[in-house]
Amino acid sequence: MWRIRAFEELALRGLHEKLVLGAIHPSIGQEAVAAGVCPNLDRHDVLLSTHRGHGHTLAKGADPLAMMRELFGRAGGNCGGKGGSMHIADFGVGMLGANGVVAANIVIAAGAAHAVKLKRESKVVCCIFGDGAINRGPFLEGLNWAKVFGLPVLFVCEDNGFAATTRTRAMTAGEGPSARARSLGIAAEEVDGNDVLAVDAAARQAIAALRDGGGPRFLHLHTYRLTGHTGADPAAYRPKEEVEARWKDDPISRAAALLEAAGHPTASLAEARNAAYAEMIAAYEAARETPFPPVDQAFADVQDVGDPRAEAF
Ligand SMILES: Cc1ncc(C[n+]2csc(CCOP(=O)(O)OP(=O)(O)O)c2C)c(N)n1
Ligand SMILES: [Mg+2]
């Protein structure tokens, strides 16, 4: 969680210093979701993420330097510096992609899991999406498909209470994410998403059930976005007091308190924090010094459609 927090604080610094090209969506306050879910996946398991995907991607094992280069549009970024924050993919660690289209990753996850089934592979697929995504059509399509074909997908609803500037509750009919999953016969569990141990336990159990061939599972994790929707959003649509109160529920402080209560030395917690910041500061500085991709590579790898001029007619 410290590594994710440090990466995103550095990414925000990069935004303010105009090093980041495009928008970034920080997950500060939501780190227990990434850290609780993703380490339960093996390297070859598949992960699908959202526009708010830095934490998920890091926790799946992606290289922070490649990610920082991607945010800065530099050569050596995960996608050659051409995707940016919302399109980071790293197939080497099973990270199939962040996604700027809300809910699109849900149907892609169903497709990836169907491929796993057809090829008789042992992988599982994990799809993390926001609470806003459950109000788009692909949510129903993806869950229905996964259930009908008994596919190994863990659907994780990372519920931070907001869809951009809107409180999701006000836009959601019925009982919400878990109830919708259960209505399709998918086993669903609701967990405090700021309690990293609870998330870890629920994810471990659900993933074990997937590996046993039990079909899709659903986790509804309650958390809170402590920053604005994007790095540039002052979040004026919610009272300052609400955010201040939520800082008291910061998942990192909570985990640190648990560790200290269990007798873990405070000094070693500080060491872990310092190591995380040192790693991410080094990534930031190295990315800043990395050249942009060469101009003659501008269109390489951008779209795999053969030659559109020849094929259009
Ligand atoms: C199909 C689509 N509609 C609208 C948007 C604009 N948009 C970007 S993020 C977002 C809110 C998503 O909320 P949620 O799924 O809860 O994710 P969160 O931002 O809270 O992590 C919206 C509406 C989009 N990217 N894609
Ligand atoms: Mg949300």
Side-chain angles (χ1 to χ4, degrees):
M1 289 195 282
W2 273 127
R3 292 180 72 237
I4 297 168
R5 179 72 54 95
F7 179 89
E8 292 202 314
E9 286 182 8
L10 269 298
L12 283 169
R13 184 196 293 179
L15 184 75
H16 297 130
E17 292 181 357
K18 302 204 183 323
L19 291 166
V20 170
L21 305 177
I24 54 169
H25 299 78
S27 65
I28 290 174
Q30 305 182 194
E31 293 90 345
V33 171
V37 171
C38 298
N40 284 297
L41 299 165
D42 292 338
R43 193 181 175 88
H44 69 273
D45 289 330
V46 174
L47 177 69
L48 282 297
S49 178
T50 65
H51 53 287
R52 202 177 302 286
H54 305 145
H56 313 145
T57 309
L58 274 172
K60 188 69 170 73
D63 171 24
L65 173 55
M67 289 175 62
M68 201 65 86
R69 283 178 170 148
E70 191 58 40
L71 266 54
F72 293 180
R74 308 299 169 111
N78 309 81
C79 307
K82 296 172 194 170
S85 166
M86 271 185 284
H87 305 100
I88 294 183
D90 185 344
F91 292 179
V93 297
M95 171 53 186
L96 220 57
N99 203 312
V101 181
V102 170
N105 61 342
I106 301 175
V107 278
I108 297 172
H114 210 132
V116 165
K117 183 178 167 134
L118 291 175
K119 292 174 171 170
R120 298 179 197 279
E121 291 174 338
S122 61
K123 294 176 194 173
V124 300
V125 176
C126 176
C127 178
I128 307 180
F129 50 88
D131 41 319
I134 73 160
N135 289 328
R136 287 208 63 238
F139 176 79
L140 174 64
E141 288 182 48
L143 265 67
N144 182 65
W145 190 275
K147 178 64 185 175
V148 165
F149 289 97
L151 304 178
V153 194
L154 177 61
F155 294 107
V156 178
C157 181
E158 183 172 31
D159 183 353
N160 59 13
F162 287 87
T165 57
T166 304
R167 286 190 201 272
T168 315
R169 193 63 252 172
M171 295 300 298
T172 304
E175 301 293 313
S178 304
R180 290 187 186 178
R182 287 194 196 107
S183 78
L184 300 171
I186 298 175
E189 195 182 346
E190 209 162 326
V191 177
D192 177 351
N194 279 10
D195 178 346
V196 71
L197 295 182
V199 176
D200 172 64
R204 190 167 348 118
Q205 197 190 26
I207 289 167
L210 291 186
R211 295 201 197 283
D212 284 346
R217 291 269 171 155
F218 194 96
L219 290 181
H220 177 191
L221 307 179
H222 292 277
T223 183
Y224 190 82
R225 159 165 65 70
L226 291 169
T227 68
H229 172 60
T230 66
D233 168 26
Y237 43 84
R238 57 191 192 186
K240 203 162 61 92
E241 297 74 35
E242 175 181 318
V243 182
E244 278 167 10
R246 290 303 198 125
W247 267 104
K248 297 198 178 77
D249 194 38
D250 171 21
I252 300 185
S253 309
R254 277 178 66 175
L258 272 178
L259 287 168
E260 277 178 340
H264 202 81
T266 311
S268 86
L269 287 177
E271 238 171 69
R273 178 184 185 281
N274 293 343
Y277 277 89
E279 180 190 12
M280 299 311 166
I281 289 168
Y284 176 91
E285 287 173 352
R288 190 180 52 195
E289 302 313 318
T290 306
F292 289 101
V295 171
D296 65 6
Q297 291 299 301
F299 296 106
D301 303 324
V302 172
Q303 198 178 15
D304 185 13
V305 292
D307 183 342
R309 287 161 305 184
E311 290 173 12
F313 301 100

